[in-house]
Amino acid sequence: MQAGPLAANAWADDAAVRRPAEHVAHAASAPKKPSAVAAPRVKGEDIVVATHRLSPADLARAQLDSLPGAATVIDARQVLRGRNLTNADALAFQPGVFAQSSGGGDGLRLSIRGSGIQVGTNYFRSGILMMFDGLPVTTPAGTPYELFEPLGLRYTEVLRGANAFDYGGLQLGGGINYVTQTGYDAQTYQARVEAGSFGYTKEQLSSGKVIGKADYYLSVTNSYRGGYQTETQANSFGVNGNFGYRFNDRVSTRFFFRYRQTRNGYPGYLTRDQILTNPKQAQSPYRAWHSVRIQPGTKFYGNTTSIRIDDQSKLDLGFDYQDAPIDIQNTSFSQIWGYKTVAATLNYTRHDVLAGHKSDTQFGFMDTSDLEAWQTNRVRVRTGHLAGLPMGQILRHVTYGGTENYFHLRNNTELFHDFWLTTAAAVAFIQKSSGVPYPYTAAGANFKQSSVNFVPRGGFRYVVSPHVELYGNVSRSIQPPNDWNLNYAGPYFTGNIPQSGMNSGAGRLRNQTATTYEIGTTGQAWRNKWSLTYYYSNVRNELLSVMTPQSQAVGASIYGNASPTTHQGVEASLETTLYEWAGNRLSLRQAYTWQNFRFRHDAVFGGNRLPGIPEHFYQGEIHLDTKAGFYAGFNAQVSSKVGAAYDETYFAPSYHIYNLNVGYEWPGKHRQVFLSVNNLANTHYAAIVVPGYIAAGKQLAVMQPGDGLGVFAGVSLGFN
């Protein structure tokens, strides 16, 4: 199986899932990390003998084994054993990944290694390259989140930091690649229903099949939730489909389509005491205004084509188009956004033998560009300085633009037995613009900035024994500001005018860069399977919320570049088989994240920690799997306190919550039922903190609560 960023979409990978178990897969790349399906290595050639049919997730893990750093694969089959409300459910138990949701909507607080810690739940995600099937969903504006329905996936790749390099992921947080089901691994007919507390219901109908040289997969989902907190009613409808065709043994193509519309109530943010006493309340005045965020219908079209040039080389081509309209009805004025973007990818992978040693080389290109990007503000509530204006009157129109081009080259060579050296470099061409053409002012003239950046990477991987591996790397990362950040870094309209307090133009923001050192180990021994990684990043021009004299005059914080900061942390996971008998298994899985992010001699905050993310975050689960099909799990989630302001005078309290999940899978059949009980102790806690600037000991409304005690049940039926 030849490795490559888009290999999961190639016909060979789909076919491999369905090969008889006695077939032997010849690994063209590096020696594999420890795997339960790997046979002892044979000198001169790596051979993997399948003792059972390899799942798509197993194949993906094998392809990521050549990375000299931290990367994991989440098998969708495990995620589907419980509730799948949001992507926070799908990304649980991933060390280094902080994924939390609030209110049951699609907004997700997502950060890896401190990326995007300033971005709240109702904004495009920042600092991580997000992908569907190797195609970038991330745009110059960031990542629209409404398309990320967790149902309908085969597996998810989580590539922390520079380990997303082969995809063109040069940002601090790395990348997440969601890989959808195809006709090769889906049921011909499948139905799933989930329901439970807070008025929650979710339905899915899907179908997938192989027809000659073609295959298809189609999934339709619908969900509704009344909400744990007031004003958090949420509903969604989505379609996810793909069609693949294998022309011959060397050429295949696959077309993708996604559509989703959502409507999520907006309750505002609460203070610490409000969450501890009554987390169900909504903040004034959002309850009276019935604030809501609407995605009226986001569309994603994509294609990947794989061309196997010869036995040693392969070319993958990709293209996608997105149309992501947004209607935000949160405050006294509405924000109507329009985003249409295109992206293209090219990856050429080649396997050689140099002086008797294996060598893999990859050249890649990724482009993401705005076709149309704008925001229009209109009068929504006639109050305050908008009291005398007609409903719907245009207050301001903002335009955005951006292009990001990444050329990346990587070589992975075995210098000597079981020791691999990775060298890589990328060149990034980045251009961003913003302006305020209405009402036109001198400050509203179009603002543009551009840069050319060199991003190197080097690493090693050493297979100490068939069961233990060491790795390390040094890398640079670059994170440009989202195009809309430029407007929120600019000057303000002032005076007695309707636009007072809005940004009147754009401001310059520098690209955030970092040098990261990473070292770690993976392995398995004595019924334990572990991964352990330590990283340290020197960050320059980190994109954070700041307060300037001008923004302070209108009571707002804006985006700006911070003084130098450091990010360091530990990402650890441990899976332990506690006891096995007669085909039954009792196990313990644990994931722990330590993250210490600080200013370095800041003029205002000295060496304070960066707020918004807990320093310690732990998830653990005791799990029982029986041969008869019954399974049960009891898990805990523990978080240390979270800074809620830069001056370290205000915190969200620490918490621990407990959850229970039980279910039954009919052996040999695609039928399943489950029951999940979340937050057994009905703990009041802040799931999300979007920090304020300076609290000075006062309580700021910057927190959103997690759900209270909830009971959920589901059933899934599949037929071939």
Side-chain angles (χ1 to χ4, degrees):
M1 182 64 61
Q2 295 190 12
L6 299 180
N9 300 324
W11 72 265
D13 299 314
D14 291 332
V17 177
R18 307 182 71 87
R19 289 172 183 161
E22 65 270 14
H23 275 226
V24 177
H26 292 265
S29 59
K32 304 303 179 187
K33 291 180 181 177
S35 171
V37 299
R41 295 180 70 249
V42 178
K43 186 175 181 180
E45 184 176 32
D46 297 332
I47 297 178
V48 177
V49 180
T51 58
H52 60 275
R53 194 179 83 168
L54 295 176
S55 71
D58 292 331
L59 294 171
R61 290 187 185 98
Q63 291 172 9
L64 295 181
D65 282 345
S66 62
L67 293 175
T72 56
V73 174
I74 305 170
D75 193 333
R77 295 178 305 177
Q78 298 301 316
V79 179
L80 291 173
R81 303 180 98 190
R83 186 193 69 172
N84 273 251
L85 174 59
T86 71
N87 271 281
D89 295 323
L91 294 171
F93 290 92
Q94 297 303 303
V97 179
F98 184 75
Q100 296 285 295
S101 66
S102 177
D106 287 278
L108 190 69
R109 187 87 155 95
L110 177 61
S111 177
I112 301 178
R113 298 185 176 181
S115 61
I117 60 176
Q118 292 298 309
V119 182
T121 58
N122 292 294
Y123 295 87
F124 281 23
R125 304 266 54 84
S126 295
I128 302 171
L129 173 63
M130 309 285 281
M131 296 165 282
F132 290 138
D133 301 279
L135 294 173
V137 187
T138 299
T139 74
T143 305
Y145 55 77
E146 61 273 12
L147 288 173
F148 289 90
E149 165 60 59
L151 295 180
L153 299 176
R154 283 195 286 178
Y155 58 86
T156 301
E157 298 174 342
V158 180
L159 306 111
R160 299 166 183 82
N163 300 300
F165 194 95
D166 286 359
Y167 281 112
L170 307 183
Q171 301 183 13
L172 178 66
I176 299 178
N177 183 31
Y178 296 86
V179 179
T180 54
Q181 291 194 48
T182 69
Y184 286 98
D185 45 68
Q187 298 303 297
T188 305
Y189 304 104
Q190 185 265 341
R192 181 183 178 93
V193 177
E194 301 179 5
S197 300
F198 322 126
Y200 170 64
T201 60
K202 189 171 190 176
E203 306 93 20
Q204 180 198 25
L205 291 174
S206 66
S207 176
K209 194 173 184 179
V210 178
I211 306 173
K213 292 185 177 182
D215 74 282
Y216 76 89
Y217 176 75
L218 180 66
S219 171
V220 179
T221 58
N222 183 71
S223 70
Y224 172 81
R225 181 178 144 116
Y228 169 72
Q229 185 184 8
T230 303
E231 297 298 321
T232 58
Q233 185 182 87
N235 56 65
S236 69
F237 172 80
V239 178
N240 169 19
N242 63 77
F243 173 82
Y245 190 81
R246 170 187 170 184
F247 294 97
N248 52 49
D249 289 348
R250 294 189 178 274
V251 181
S252 64
T253 191
R254 186 169 298 278
F255 295 90
F256 302 91
F257 172 71
R258 286 177 180 261
Y259 171 86
R260 199 152 184 263
Q261 58 187 40
T262 67
R263 182 184 180 94
N264 296 299
Y266 180 74
Y269 289 82
L270 302 179
T271 67
R272 178 182 61 205
D273 285 353
Q274 286 176 319
I275 285 181
L276 294 178
T277 57
N278 180 17
K280 294 186 177 182
Q281 65 183 299
Q283 188 63 277
S284 176
Y286 301 106
R287 181 173 183 176
W289 289 350
H290 298 295
S291 297
V292 65
R293 179 185 175 110
I294 304 167
Q295 263 79 29
T298 297
K299 296 172 283 293
F300 176 93
Y301 305 88
N303 172 265
T304 60
T305 298
S306 177
I307 303 171
R308 197 170 295 276
I309 301 171
D310 52 38
D311 291 342
Q312 286 75 41
S313 60
K314 177 182 166 188
L315 181 66
D316 292 302
L317 304 171
F319 173 83
D320 69 63
Y321 166 83
Q322 291 185 79
D323 181 2
I326 308 169
D327 183 0
I328 303 177
Q329 305 285 334
N330 284 354
T331 63
S332 58
F333 58 88
S334 65
Q335 301 179 52
I336 314 299
W337 300 70
Y339 271 105
K340 296 179 180 179
T341 61
V342 292
T345 63
L346 179 151
N347 287 279
Y348 172 77
T349 306
R350 181 172 181 82
H351 307 288
D352 295 292
V353 177
L354 303 177
H357 296 282
K358 295 179 182 178
S359 180
D360 300 334
T361 303
Q362 183 211 47
F363 169 77
F365 167 76
M366 182 178 72
D367 167 84
T368 59
S369 298
D370 289 331
L371 293 178
E372 178 183 305
W374 51 268
Q375 174 195 169
T376 298
N377 304 123
R378 296 178 179 269
V379 176
R380 177 173 176 261
V381 180
R382 289 184 291 183
T383 184
H385 67 287
L386 304 180
L389 301 178
M391 292 288 290
Q393 177 177 316
I394 295 178
L395 299 172
R396 184 182 65 155
H397 182 72
V398 186
T399 59
Y400 306 102
T403 297
E404 299 177 17
N405 296 312
Y406 301 117
F407 297 86
H408 49 97
L409 178 66
R410 183 265 301 156
N411 177 264
N412 190 27
T413 298
E414 187 180 30
L415 292 185
F416 51 86
H417 182 64
D418 284 339
F419 185 91
W420 292 76
L421 179 68
T422 298
T423 55
V427 177
F429 299 88
I430 300 168
Q431 181 175 293
K432 299 292 175 77
S433 64
S434 179
V436 185
Y438 179 85
Y440 181 78
T441 65
N446 196 53
F447 175 87
K448 183 180 293 185
Q449 64 182 54
S450 60
S451 64
V452 179
N453 309 268
F454 178 68
V455 185
R457 169 171 164 82
F460 75 91
R461 188 169 59 87
Y462 178 44
V463 183
V464 180
S465 74
H467 303 293
V468 179
E469 180 175 304
L470 300 175
Y471 57 78
N473 66 77
V474 180
S475 61
R476 291 279 289 172
S477 64
I478 183 166
Q479 179 180 323
N482 297 338
D483 54 25
W484 57 270
N485 290 162
L486 302 181
N487 181 260
Y488 288 87
Y492 288 85
F493 288 108
T494 58
N496 188 25
I497 59 175
Q499 296 80 15
S500 180
M502 296 181 178
N503 293 95
S504 60
R508 181 174 296 277
L509 289 172
R510 294 182 292 275
N511 297 328
Q512 174 184 308
T513 60
T515 300
T516 299
Y517 307 86
E518 177 182 348
I519 190 167
T521 176
T522 61
Q524 55 186 7
W526 306 295
R527 294 191 173 187
N528 293 284
K529 182 179 180 181
W530 72 83
S531 69
L532 178 64
T533 301
Y534 169 77
Y535 67 89
Y536 183 92
S537 300
N538 285 317
V539 186
R540 298 280 181 171
N541 299 315
E542 184 162 1
L543 293 162
L544 298 175
S545 296
V546 300
M547 190 79 77
T548 66
Q550 189 177 20
S551 68
Q552 192 170 15
V554 297
S557 60
I558 65 174
Y559 283 91
N561 294 111
S563 58
T565 55
T566 59
H567 290 210
Q568 64 174 326
V570 171
E571 302 161 345
S573 69
L574 180 64
E575 299 179 21
T576 305
T577 299
L578 301 175
Y579 187 62
E580 283 185 301
W581 75 102
N584 308 304
R585 181 172 181 258
L586 182 67
S587 60
L588 171 65
R589 63 169 176 166
Q590 303 176 84
Y592 168 72
T593 301
W594 174 63
Q595 37 202 8
N596 183 1
F597 312 144
R598 289 183 177 274
F599 288 105
R600 285 190 290 165
H601 311 297
D602 184 78
V604 177
F605 301 112
N608 285 3
R609 294 184 188 275
L610 296 179
I613 299 289
E615 181 181 2
H616 303 280
F617 191 71
Y618 170 84
Q619 292 174 296
E621 180 182 51
I622 295 178
H623 201 277
L624 172 67
D625 287 285
T626 69
K627 184 179 180 179
F630 174 79
Y631 61 88
F634 178 79
N635 68 70
Q637 177 178 299
V638 181
S639 172
S640 62
K641 66 181 182 180
V642 180
Y646 287 104
D647 60 358
E648 290 193 332
T649 65
Y650 182 43
F651 297 88
S654 60
Y655 67 85
H656 49 271
I657 59 175
Y658 303 100
N659 310 297
L660 175 68
N661 188 62
V662 297
Y664 182 77
E665 290 180 311
W666 275 259
K669 299 181 180 180
H670 299 278
R671 302 173 189 175
Q672 176 193 65
V673 294
F674 70 85
L675 176 70
S676 299
V677 185
N678 293 353
N679 195 354
L680 288 162
N682 197 29
T683 300
H684 294 179
Y685 69 102
I688 293 170
V689 178
V690 180
Y693 193 63
I694 295 178
K698 299 179 181 179
Q699 292 208 15
L700 306 177
V702 294
M703 304 177 190
Q704 291 184 324
D707 283 350
L709 172 65
V711 181
F712 306 90
V715 58
S716 178
L717 302 174
F719 304 92
N720 276 324

